[in-house]
Amino acid sequence: MAVSADRASGAFFLLFGLAMYFYVNPVYIETVDGGNLAPNKVPNIVSIIVAVCGAFLTLKPTAHQVRNPILMVKTGLYVGLLVAGIYAMSWFGFEYVAPILALAIMWMIGERRPLWLGLGVVGMPVLIWFLVTQVLERALP
Amino acid sequence: MVDFATILAGFGDAFTLFNLAFVLFGVVLGQFVGAVPGIGPIMAMAIAIPFTFGLDPLPAIAFLVGVNKGGLVGGAVPAVLMNTPGTPDAAATAMDGYPLAKQGKPLKATKMALFSSITGDTFSDIVLITVSAPLAVLALKMGPIEVVALMIFAFSILAGLTGNSLTKGIIAAGLGLLVASVGQDPENFTPRLIFGYWDVFDGLPLPSVAIGMLAISEILHRMSEAHGNVQSAIVAKDTGNPDDRRVTWLEYWSCRYTMLRGATIGTILGALPGIGSTAAAFMSYAMTKASSKDPGSFGKGNIQGIAASESANSAVVGSNLIPLLTLGIPGSVGAALIISAFMIHGMQPGPLLFENQGRLVYGLFGAMIMANFVNLWVGQVGLRVWVKVVSAPESIIFASAILLCIVGVAMATSGLFGVAIMLIFAVLGYLMTSFGYSLVIFIIAFFLGPRFEKSIAQSLALTNGDLTQVLKSPVAVALLVLSVISVVWFLRKNAQAEQG
Amino acid sequence: MNPKTKLLALGASVMMAFAAPAAASDWKPNGPLTIQIGFGAGGSTDTMGRVLAKVMKENTGWNIVVENKPGGGGVAMFTGLSQRPAKGDLIGMGVSIPVLVQLVNRGDQLLFNIDSFDYLGTVAKAELALVASKDAPFDDLEGLIAYAKAQGTLPVATMAPPQVLMMKQTMAKAGAEFNLVTADGGAEVMKLILGGQVLAGFGSGEHYPYLESGDMKVIAGANQARLSYAPEVKTFIESGIEAYVDPVFFLAMRDGTDPAATEAIAAAIDEATKAPEFAEIVQNAVKGDPLNMGPEGTHQMMVDGLANAKVLFAK
């Protein structure tokens, strides 16, 4: 690869640190009168350190290689699945979404055996439901 | 000073079959709930407290002590068996525990964690029971300036964990500190970097960040690797050699210095409120690795690594009770829950506790001793069950773990908002490991960050911003000198490791 | 239907069967009723809240869950409460003063105001005191000010913005200089005093054991009236500093909650505050008796408190 992983992440942190220092911190941190340690002191110092280290890393990268891009894409799919699942939970509740989410995850991993699918899709959610609402008397999300 | 008759009466109160039953019940519950991914030891305590309302003080306290100690042992289980620590202090245990489990020796790995956890716990219990009063006085002398110095020392030891790039380690720590600064600033209580989300006014919820970063990100990584290929999460190989399924006395004995060091670090840090078990576990781990003749074997299933981490993080929990009982100051979230339970049961921690309620305190100590034995015994059985559980196919393990993490975090943070944050940090954690940034350094910085900043603000207030005042504190100066030495030493070690 | 969808449908129907809500005749919570405490575990609000919940649960049979949601003296919790739908399943418990001070100083940014809630009642009044180690070379606020002037400056521990504002008023009025050290709650204030890092600090109950053991003494009362447990000690007002706080522990729900629900819950709270068991814990926590102002009285207390806070604490 022409661009090593470290150069890429170093450049990212350089920009990130600068963005924090020049834009985010001034806008989203209040200033106060007096006091000993201004609210923006520590975030500002840390932002600068991150930016400097990022720059240094861009100039002197290690030989680190990123994970296999195909694996990262697959992970992205799982993340998308979880986002959808959690979003659905906020609408329909855990009881209805959990079995579907469990089925989707297990299916994607490659599980096809009905017994294990049944355990994961019905058994586990029922067990969680029983423990949380009946034993602990808490509400499910 | 409490007279001997009170001590005897207290222990006498504790050692009854009735109390033993409650200790046993507590330990079983703690080990079980503490081991469930996404729930963990602190949640176990929070869940258990309401159950004690109907009980008399001593059985109630015995039960909670059982849950607390059982949770400690349980907390190491997902870290070792699945590499998905539910609490950051168990992350250090995972570094050698999981590789050992993956080699087909899950029972050996978990048992080593159990034995060293109980060793560290017992050590700090003994310190608590015998010399808590003088230790508490020493802890009082550690003012904000000394705490800042101590935390700098803790950070310096992390240099031993940065691996091949110090720059990346610093970036990881910086990110942790930045994330920790979300919420309110420690001195003026103004909202900071909350972007209009008042839900995070108290900071990003710790369970969301810890479980997202450490557990979910690992599960995401493993799910992507398992794609289309279903196997057991952990296979306990039957090599025919029984030593692969247990910890021999020789192995245990070979870790004695490691455990002693871990227990000492844990006891000292536990007696000082606010530093916590995560720093203790990693300090102990880094020191053990650095002093080892074979540092290259760490991270590949060295039992010394497990012993270092577990003895230290368990010792913290016992000695957390030192400032709690003598001064009424909780040193951690877990300790705050304990003090809350004590007060509900009419026990008033503070200077008069031993005088007014000596019998109850020694009853508590008695319950702690019982709990350590029960923990050992229940652990032997419980660990077998967990090893069996994780030999189920990865598909069901990962799916269940994700559901449990969602429910656990939702319960701990009261809502799906915390779950969404968990997912964000899972993705961040995944990206960080993909690009070679240390998650544990991030997490330690995140956990220590608020206390660090608060202590700096307090020190500046006390010294009027005049940093030369630091020189008046010999403890602070000594710690700062040690920090410089340790950074230099660890960097040279790292450089040597790279060449050799 | 293929086997997977069958399984799925089966799973969903099993879930639905379990999740069917029970029919309600009289008002009672639909599922667990949560009390969120705006402070961390182990403090006086936490202890009183947990025992209150316990007594309410015993009296009513409702399933009551207690959670801690600390931050900003209760502001984090009340913000969350104000953003949740008014389903009658969430109660917030906090202390009046820190919330009122934030409303005065940052009202335009907060997502709630005092009308965002239906008030249920109060449980107790808190007494705030400025305390010092027994060896401190002063016994009252005048002495403290004189000593600070003699020393040039004097470290004092505070734990919340109202106390900082009180000390700043003292500085302005008396011309003395204090180093204000912000501590993480009353327990840490006690640690700083005992460790000798600060010479005085504020306590809202954490100092009682030390008064009893003789390790500490009260320098000044920070309420409008004198402290019930130290009636000989003067207040800030009596020492010429026109500032006081009268924190009240209160409970509230999101406004627009079903009146049947707020009525039933307020009645349950009132019943619980009369229980001897609760009185005992209140005595332990704030050295006073339980005090329930009722829904109307609580609302009035907040309205009056806001007006007062505007005078005392506006920037």
Side-chain angles (χ1 to χ4, degrees), chain C residues 34-40 43-54 56 64-79 81 90-96 98-99 117-125 248-254 269 273 278 281-282 285-286 291 298 302:
Chain C
T34 303
I35 298 183
Q36 277 190 347
I37 292 170
F39 294 85
S44 43
T45 322
D46 177 63
T47 313
M48 289 192 288
R50 284 179 188 270
V51 175
L52 181 79
K54 177 199 167 197
M56 282 169 72
I64 303 177
V65 175
V66 177
E67 290 173 354
N68 297 92
K69 196 168 178 187
V75 170
M77 185 273 292
F78 280 114
T79 304
L81 181 63
L90 184 63
I91 303 171
M93 178 170 175
V95 179
S96 60
V99 177
F117 306 107
D118 286 340
Y119 296 93
L120 301 168
T122 62
V123 294
K125 251 189 173 168
V248 179
F249 299 89
F250 72 102
L251 295 105
M253 301 183 84
R254 173 80 202 271
I269 290 172
T273 52
F278 185 67
I281 215 78
V282 171
V286 298
L291 168 78
T298 310
M302 290 298 279

Side-chain angles (χ1 to χ4, degrees), chain B residues 110-170:
Chain B
T110 43
K111 278 183 183 169
M112 193 64 223
L114 171 70
F115 295 150
S116 40
S117 170
I118 289 173
T119 308
D121 196 1
T122 309
F123 178 90
S124 78
D125 286 353
I126 293 171
V127 173
L128 167 71
I129 294 171
T130 51
V131 288
S132 62
L135 251 183
V137 173
L138 274 182
L140 277 180
K141 294 290 163 209
M142 295 286 288
I145 296 171
E146 289 81 9
V147 169
V148 171
L150 182 69
M151 288 178 106
I152 290 174
F153 180 55
F155 278 118
S156 77
I157 286 183
L158 295 185
L161 298 172
T162 52
N164 60 3
S165 170
L166 181 67
T167 319
K168 285 167 128 180
I170 296 175

Side-chain angles (χ1 to χ4, degrees), chain C residues 32-295:
Chain C
L33 182 64
T34 303
I35 298 183
Q36 277 190 347
I37 292 170
F39 294 85
S44 43
T45 322
D46 177 63
T47 313
M48 289 192 288
R50 284 179 188 270
V51 175
L52 181 79
K54 177 199 167 197
V55 177
M56 282 169 72
K57 187 175 182 174
E58 281 166 4
N59 289 345
T60 59
W62 300 342
N63 169 27
I64 303 177
V65 175
V66 177
E67 290 173 354
N68 297 92
K69 196 168 178 187
V75 170
M77 185 273 292
F78 280 114
T79 304
L81 181 63
S82 70
Q83 302 305 305
R84 289 269 289 263
K87 285 196 295 189
D89 60 350
L90 184 63
I91 303 171
M93 178 170 175
V95 179
S96 60
I97 291 295
V99 177
L100 293 171
V101 169
Q102 290 278 13
L103 276 171
V104 168
N105 284 337
R106 202 168 280 117
D108 50 332
Q109 290 172 40
L110 293 181
L111 301 178
F112 65 88
N113 55 41
I114 55 171
D115 296 325
S116 306
F117 306 107
D118 286 340
Y119 296 93
L120 301 168
T122 62
V123 294
K125 251 189 173 168
E127 293 186 301
L128 187 71
L130 186 66
V131 297
S133 160
K134 68 169 192 301
D135 308 320
F138 44 80
D139 293 307
D140 53 13
L141 197 59
E142 283 90 350
L144 176 93
I145 291 167
Y147 190 67
K149 282 181 178 163
Q151 296 287 312
T153 179
L154 189 141
V156 175
T158 62
M159 48 180 171
Q163 299 152 21
V164 175
L165 293 167
M166 285 185 81
M167 288 316 292
K168 283 190 174 160
Q169 291 233 19
T170 312
M171 285 200 240
K173 190 97 180 181
E177 194 61 42
F178 297 110
N179 292 343
L180 299 180
V181 180
T182 316
D184 216 3
E188 199 190 348
V189 174
M190 298 307 123
K191 177 179 182 286
L192 290 168
I193 294 176
L194 293 170
Q197 286 97 14
V198 302
L199 287 183
F202 284 91
S204 61
E206 301 78 6
H207 55 292
Y208 297 149
Y210 297 101
L211 295 181
E212 220 176 296
S213 67
D215 290 322
M216 288 188 189
K217 59 189 174 191
V218 184
I219 301 300
N223 293 65
Q224 193 169 18
R226 288 192 178 191
L227 302 166
S228 62
Y229 55 88
E232 72 288 354
V233 177
K234 285 199 286 185
T235 63
F236 272 68
I237 303 175
E238 288 174 87
S239 303
I241 314 296
E242 278 303 318
Y244 71 90
V245 290
D246 265 332
V248 179
F249 299 89
F250 72 102
L251 295 105
M253 301 183 84
R254 173 80 202 271
D255 71 323
T257 306
D258 178 10
T262 46
E263 227 166 88
I265 296 170
I269 290 172
D270 191 52
E271 195 189 352
T273 52
K274 294 194 175 97
E277 189 186 356
F278 185 67
E280 192 189 322
I281 215 78
V282 171
Q283 189 67 40
N284 276 346
V286 298
K287 288 258 190 285
D289 294 321
L291 168 78
N292 187 6
M293 302 178 182

Side-chain angles (χ1 to χ4, degrees), chain A residues 6 9 36-37 39 109 111, chain B residues 168 187 192 228 395 430 437:
Chain A
D6 274 8
S9 63
N36 302 290
L37 186 66
I109 293 176
E111 186 60 76
Chain B
K168 285 167 128 180
E187 191 179 353
R192 184 165 68 173
S395 56
Y430 180 81
Y437 292 87

Side-chain angles (χ1 to χ4, degrees), chain A residues 126-139:
Chain A
V126 169
L127 184 66
I128 293 175
W129 170 86
F130 178 77
L131 284 177
V132 174
T133 65
Q134 302 303 303
V135 180
L136 301 178
E137 302 185 319
R138 300 284 184 116

Side-chain angles (χ1 to χ4, degrees), chain B residues 3-367:
Chain B
D3 62 85
F4 196 60
T6 313
I7 297 177
L8 274 186
F11 280 120
D13 291 345
F15 297 131
T16 64
L17 217 54
F18 187 67
N19 288 332
L20 182 67
F22 277 100
V23 168
L24 178 68
F25 182 43
V27 166
V28 171
L29 186 78
Q31 283 198 5
F32 183 78
V33 180
V36 175
I39 311 279
I42 288 176
M43 193 72 192
M45 282 287 293
I47 290 171
I49 288 178
F51 287 108
T52 66
F53 281 154
L55 299 171
D56 286 335
L58 191 55
I61 288 168
F63 172 71
L64 289 172
V65 163
V67 173
N68 193 24
K69 288 181 182 278
L72 274 181
V73 169
V77 169
V80 170
L81 292 182
M82 294 170 61
N83 202 18
T84 57
T87 52
D89 56 359
T93 313
M95 297 210 293
D96 275 289
Y98 180 63
L100 189 60
K102 229 166 89 177
Q103 288 163 23
K105 300 172 188 168
L107 266 175
K108 190 188 196 84
T110 43
K111 278 183 183 169
M112 193 64 223
L114 171 70
F115 295 150
S116 40
S117 170
I118 289 173
T119 308
D121 196 1
T122 309
F123 178 90
S124 78
D125 286 353
I126 293 171
V127 173
L128 167 71
I129 294 171
T130 51
V131 288
S132 62
L135 251 183
V137 173
L138 274 182
L140 277 180
K141 294 290 163 209
M142 295 286 288
I145 296 171
E146 289 81 9
V147 169
V148 171
L150 182 69
M151 288 178 106
I152 290 174
F153 180 55
F155 278 118
S156 77
I157 286 183
L158 295 185
L161 298 172
T162 52
N164 60 3
S165 170
L166 181 67
T167 319
K168 285 167 128 180
I170 296 175
I171 292 179
L175 278 186
L177 288 175
L178 269 183
V179 170
S181 67
V182 172
Q184 49 187 331
D185 84 273
E187 191 179 353
N188 304 286
F189 302 100
T190 64
R192 184 165 68 173
L193 298 175
I194 65 171
F195 306 103
Y197 290 99
W198 289 89
D199 271 312
V200 298
F201 193 27
D202 187 40
L204 290 162
L206 304 184
S208 304
V209 176
I211 291 175
M213 273 260 162
L214 298 171
I216 300 283
S217 76
E218 169 73 12
I219 293 175
L220 283 173
H221 165 61
R222 298 260 291 282
M223 286 198 304
S224 70
E225 282 193 326
H227 200 103
N229 177 17
V230 184
Q231 47 182 310
S232 292
I234 281 286
V235 189
K237 279 187 214 137
D238 193 5
T239 52
N241 181 358
D243 285 352
D244 284 347
R245 277 182 282 128
R246 63 183 183 206
V247 176
T248 63
W249 171 251
L250 263 179
E251 285 171 319
Y252 178 81
W253 191 240
S254 73
C255 295
R256 62 191 181 278
Y257 294 121
T258 302
M259 287 189 288
L260 185 65
R261 177 170 46 226
T264 310
I265 293 172
T267 306
I268 292 172
L269 290 193
L272 304 168
I275 313 268
S277 49
T278 307
F282 281 101
M283 277 174 84
S284 168
Y285 185 88
M287 284 178 162
T288 301
K289 184 179 169 186
S291 61
S292 164
K293 288 193 191 76
D294 184 16
S297 67
F298 281 78
K300 292 174 189 151
N302 190 330
I303 53 169
Q304 301 272 353
I306 304 175
S309 154
E310 276 301 305
S311 58
N313 68 24
S314 302
V316 168
V317 176
S319 67
N320 254 336
L321 289 180
I322 294 173
L324 188 134
L325 292 180
T326 52
L327 306 167
I329 299 166
S332 64
V333 184
L337 283 170
I338 296 179
I339 205 176
S340 164
F342 282 177
M343 285 167 74
I344 289 166
H345 286 285
M347 203 166 161
Q348 275 279 357
L352 296 178
L353 178 67
F354 284 78
E355 229 163 281
N356 293 348
Q357 286 164 309
R359 189 161 166 172
L360 190 58
V361 175
Y362 281 91
L364 161 72
F365 290 162

Side-chain angles (χ1 to χ4, degrees), chain B residues 458-470:
Chain B
Q458 292 175 339
S459 304
L460 288 172
L462 286 173
T463 57
N464 255 334
D466 175 13
L467 287 179
T468 54
Q469 297 269 332
V470 175

